[in-house]
Amino acid sequence: MDNSKPAPADYEVTQAREIGGVHRAVGETVTLTPLQAKYYLPPYGTGLKAVAAMGAAKSKTDAEKPATKGDKAEG
């Protein structure tokens, strides 16, 4: 049996409410484990949506970015 803890993920608050003992505003990002977020996500409840896909799309390294005119060596 795997005893490792589930990895936390980022969620965007879609309904102002108390989450984890703190009042959260709409648009705020919170980091929760899947078990913590379970009752704020469909089909059990509302108030959060996962933003993991957006975070992965934003993280490009310099090697993945296209070269610009200033990056080319003159000579």
Side-chain angles (χ1 to χ4, degrees), residues 3-74:
N3 290 332
S4 63
K5 294 183 180 182
D10 290 334
Y11 298 90
E12 182 181 339
V13 178
T14 59
Q15 179 182 359
R17 63 185 318 151
E18 185 176 312
I19 298 173
V22 178
H23 188 272
R24 307 292 183 165
V26 174
E28 193 173 337
T29 301
V30 294
T31 303
L32 302 170
T33 65
L35 292 175
Q36 291 172 316
K38 180 178 180 178
Y39 292 105
Y40 301 107
L41 296 168
Y44 301 109
T46 60
L48 289 179
K49 69 176 180 178
V51 294
M54 289 175 30
K58 288 182 181 179
S59 61
K60 280 192 171 182
T61 63
D62 289 338
E64 295 173 338
K65 294 179 184 175
T68 61
K69 194 175 193 180
D71 291 340
K72 296 180 182 176
E74 293 181 29

